[in-house]
Amino acid sequence: MAISGHGTPSACTSGNTNAFDKWQQPPQQNPVASTGIRNVVTAHQHYVDPLLQFETQLKIIKSSFEMVFSIPSLEEVKEMGTREEDKEDLENLYQNTLNLFEDTLLILVSKDLYKLQILKDMAVWMNEDSSYLQERIMVIISRVLSFASRKVRGYASVDAPCLGVLAAELSLLCCHSDPLITQQASSGLYHLLCIAKCQNANTERKRSAMYEKSGNHCLLTTPSDMEFLPKILQRDKTKITQSVGFTLLPSLLTDFVWSLLMRLSSPNNIIAIRASTLLKLTLEYHAHKVTMVSKIVDTIYKQLCENPSHVMKRTMLRVVTLLTRTSPKKVVFQLMDYPVPADNTLILMWHAAGSESSVAPHVLKTILLILKGKPGEMQDSLKERRRFSLDTTNMMPVAASQALCALLPVASYRKAVAQLFPQLLMALVLQLFYSGDLRLTTQDRTVYAQDALRVLLTCSGLQQVDMALKRKNCWSRFSQALFHHHGVYLVAKTLSEYNFPQFPETLHYLYKLSVEDPRRSEDSIITVIFLTELLNHFFKDPFPEEFLVLFRNWVNDANPVVSKLSLQKIASMAPVINEAQNVCSLLVSILDAFLSKDKTVIIRALITLRKLLVRLDKVTYSSLCTRIASSYCPLMDHSTGGIRSMAIQHFGELLRDMSEYTWMLNDVILGGLVPLILFLEDTEIRVVQACKYTLAICVSELNWPTWHLLKDEFYSFEVVVLSICSNLVTSHENYITYLISDTLGFLRSSRVYLRRASVILIGYLAKVGGHLLLRDEIEVMLEAIDQRLRDKDPETRELAEITYTVFKEIAHRLTSSNLKQIFRRVFNSIYTKKLKPLYNYKWPDNPADSPVGFQDTRNDKEAHMADDFPPYITEKIDAIIQETAQRHVPDP
């Protein structure tokens, strides 16, 4: 059937002379029929690489297209013939050539539906040059699509990725001014949608079920609708976009939208306007199906940057708005992916994204998610980065703060801002805290977190708070590293002073943050400062248990600043500590802080505990006194002198407080004797004074007459040790071996004074309790003292020689008969030996003035070489042993 072509006036110009000449040649010599088409078919028949094959076929098709559709209209061709027979031959040649081109396309498509891509290229070529036979081109495209739609019936899936782009071209042509082109374009679009319905049968069935359930129906759901669809699609842009949106899969619809977006920059204003209308209508109803949201937003940004006065600027911004409606997170993250500070184009796009009030909460929540990051933080690998285009330095939180400056004042965001006030407040305070540490920005860069926070206060009806913070010079605090925490404190305090109405929601949010694991330790610092100040203003001490448990947990936080802030607050509750619930668990958490690696935390814990114990009721105090006292003992040997002195001092104060419960603390007192004695030789005066203070209390509680020896005018380390060891023998002999064991640990100390003192103490303990030691224990002692014989300090070596001699004597006595050893132990238990000084270590100038009346024995070798007992005792023991041995001599 011959279909007349209606060429444009330009088809008859001299530019088509070659086309006229070709049509005067015999049909068999027509270059299209004899060469181009044959090459297309041949290229299809032989196996080659599919991509290379398609490129070759497309190149040949384009060449043939240019020749075939550059010919004049049929009427002009017939006028070339002089006779009626010539006109009939020319008409047949004309139709045969067009049919041959159409048949070639049908053959290609019948073999592979992927070749429908050629139709898309044909539509593009046609739009690029209006001299082509546009109606005839549309007829061929429509017929090929009709053939393809019949072919795919019953297919489970169809591989035709070009449908989205082709649908965009046909949709534009459905709005053409020529009704014939519009008719063919709408028919072609109808067949294309039929093909698209077969692309994913499972998806279509699920979608149909969803529509039936919801009561909505697609335009292509019934045969009657399908019958009249081509007419519906003619120039009705709404129906076109609805049909395309319902039918195309997300990937194809994305191609459709992308093609229309590219058409906005078309030099043909008519096409750009049509594309604008179709694009907005499509996104109005089907933006949720678009997948390349970030790429679309990025393209809009680049085009507006290149041409700020773009004709379709409003349309592009509207596209951003519509995409934000369905994909707020993708749009927001893409808008954060540009350099800081934002330029005018980006600010316009932020306003466009913020014009959609329905998704305001989602936009703000996405920004809050970004504000959890730390600006300037280096990210280790690309896998940890949100955007591959970002530098390894994360500046997205800064961009998010600037975005809030643009979005928070928007009227449509007021409700969302009110709902998310606590989250926004804390996020911006945190960013303001971070901004002080940010050193990657220029000196004159605006602190956007500060601006955003002030905008938030203004938009939330807290203008007076903003003015008060300015008067207090709060904002400058954040720019000084030493006053970061004070700046946070001022914000919280000022809000409390003005009784901000958002207090309940803010308190609830802070509690939620407190029970969750923070992303960074800085987060906890801000939370603790803010929560503490709010509670101080709105609650009386002690806090309710729900909040008190938070401070109890923070005491042992990994961040020492958090621990100290919590301990500081707990210390302030000392006057009402007896009114608090679970006081015991609170005190135990403070004791756990003694194990911290941070010395400032330990010091704060010691101070806090002492403040609480002063006010604590005796019943609770007595139940924990043993555990508290035991916790002080490890700190007596701390490397920091301040901690040693405080632990020793507080140990003594506890014993004084619990004087009525001495029987409960005897074991702890004796267990702490070794460090208390050894650190009398500490190089720091405050430690020495603390040891004298606490030892005086200890010996007083143990009823030992030693306290007067600790006075400065009589003090001598060796005299104190000698006196304590003498009293140990009479009252707590069983503890001597434990004290020897404790002293051994100090022999390897890096501090010289401890090695000296431990050598002296262990010597006297061995002198009074050597009979309690086993042979293996003596060998261990000898080995430990032997190492000190080679000590770097000469005085330590001299002291070690004396102690070594003491242990050798004890070892020698162990070599005697078992019976003799038994008698020695019995007499040791009933005979108290009077010790004499062994070392003469730092002996006073006038030992006779000592209150115990010791004599100078520096030249008396017998002082430490004599036997344990007087001679008459020793003789009596030997006589008893000899008599016992004779009784058991067997008869000859």
Side-chain angles (χ1 to χ4, degrees), residues 865-880:
M865 298 297 294
D867 197 77
D868 288 343
F869 305 105
Y872 74 92
I873 297 271
T874 303
E875 292 175 0
K876 187 67 176 177
I877 292 175
D878 291 338
I880 294 174

Side-chain angles (χ1 to χ4, degrees), residues 31-48 52-65 67-68 100-111 115 118 122 125:
V32 176
S34 61
T35 305
I37 305 303
R38 188 183 303 115
N39 291 338
V40 175
V41 177
T42 303
H44 190 81
Q45 288 176 345
H46 297 284
Y47 176 78
V48 292
L52 180 61
Q53 179 194 64
F54 178 74
E55 290 177 352
T56 303
Q57 292 172 345
L58 185 62
K59 183 178 180 181
I60 297 172
I61 288 292
K62 183 176 182 181
S63 176
S64 302
F65 176 89
M67 288 188 292
V68 171
L100 182 59
F101 185 87
E102 180 181 330
D103 292 341
T104 302
L105 293 176
L106 292 173
I107 293 172
L108 293 175
V109 172
S110 67
K111 297 292 185 180
K115 302 299 172 60
I118 297 173
M122 287 174 58
W125 300 333

Side-chain angles (χ1 to χ4, degrees), residues 70 75 158 180 241 305 348 359 476 562 573 615-616 673 710 804 842:
S70 295
E75 288 74 10
V158 178
L180 296 178
T241 54
C305 284
L348 279 176
V359 293
S476 63
V562 174
M573 292 189 290
R615 300 297 187 98
L616 193 63
L673 271 182
L710 297 169
Y804 190 81
K842 295 182 181 180

Side-chain angles (χ1 to χ4, degrees), residues 329-398:
K329 184 175 291 187
K330 294 180 180 179
V331 174
V332 170
F333 269 105
Q334 183 57 44
L335 292 179
M336 297 294 176
D337 198 14
Y338 300 108
V340 178
D343 53 26
N344 292 333
T345 298
L346 189 55
I347 292 175
L348 279 176
M349 295 179 71
W350 273 119
H351 283 291
S355 62
E356 188 61 44
S357 60
S358 61
V359 293
H362 300 287
V363 172
L364 292 180
K365 287 178 181 178
T366 305
I367 293 177
L368 286 170
L369 182 64
I370 296 172
L371 288 175
K372 290 182 178 181
K374 184 176 181 179
E377 187 175 50
M378 301 299 292
Q379 299 177 352
D380 296 332
S381 64
L382 288 177
K383 292 182 180 179
E384 297 177 1
R385 287 160 55 185
R386 297 185 182 277
R387 298 286 177 186
F388 287 95
S389 60
L390 279 176
D391 188 72
T392 54
T393 301
N394 179 22
M395 295 301 291
M396 289 182 74
V398 180

Side-chain angles (χ1 to χ4, degrees), residues 677-781:
I677 295 171
L678 297 182
F679 282 102
L680 284 170
E681 288 294 287
D682 200 299
T683 56
E684 296 191 32
I685 297 177
R686 55 182 173 176
V687 178
V688 175
Q689 295 299 328
C691 285
K692 290 180 178 180
Y693 169 80
T694 301
L695 266 178
I697 296 175
C698 288
V699 297
S700 176
E701 296 296 335
L702 294 172
N703 296 318
W704 293 349
T706 308
W707 63 270
H708 54 282
L709 297 176
L710 297 169
K711 294 182 178 180
D712 293 339
E713 58 267 28
F714 304 122
Y715 174 74
S716 169
F717 176 72
E718 187 174 1
V719 172
V720 172
V721 172
L722 194 152
S723 175
I724 290 175
C725 290
S726 298
N727 285 285
L728 275 171
V729 175
T730 58
S731 60
H732 297 87
E733 184 183 49
N734 293 337
Y735 281 91
I736 292 178
T737 55
Y738 295 107
L739 297 179
I740 291 175
S741 177
D742 291 344
T743 309
L744 274 178
F746 290 92
L747 285 175
R748 295 184 179 181
S749 173
S750 59
R751 289 168 277 187
V752 176
Y753 69 85
L754 279 180
R755 296 200 301 272
R756 293 177 184 174
S758 60
V759 168
I760 294 173
L761 178 58
I762 204 170
Y764 278 110
L765 289 173
K767 196 69 178 175
V768 298
H771 61 284
L772 301 173
L773 298 174
L774 302 176
R775 188 183 303 277
D776 293 340
E777 293 173 339
I778 295 296
E779 292 178 359
V780 173
M781 305 298 175

Side-chain angles (χ1 to χ4, degrees), residues 555-556 563-568 570-572 574 586-596 598-615 621 627-654 657 686-687 690 694:
V555 167
N556 294 287
S563 298
K564 288 183 286 186
L565 287 171
S566 178
L567 287 166
Q568 184 177 354
I570 293 174
S572 69
L586 184 63
L587 295 175
V588 169
S589 68
I590 298 174
L591 295 179
D592 292 338
F594 287 177
L595 304 176
S596 174
D598 189 281
K599 60 184 180 181
T600 59
V601 172
I602 299 175
I603 292 173
R604 175 58 63 180
L606 285 167
I607 295 173
T608 300
L609 181 61
R610 189 61 207 155
K611 286 185 177 180
L612 297 181
L613 293 180
V614 170
R615 300 297 187 98
Y621 200 164
R627 181 170 182 176
I628 296 172
S630 300
S631 299
Y632 284 130
C633 292
L635 297 181
M636 295 179 185
D637 185 29
H638 199 275
S639 59
T640 304
I643 294 177
R644 291 199 301 273
S645 63
M646 290 182 68
I648 294 170
Q649 181 85 13
H650 292 179
F651 182 74
E653 291 173 352
L654 181 144
D657 296 341
R686 55 182 173 176
V687 178
T694 301

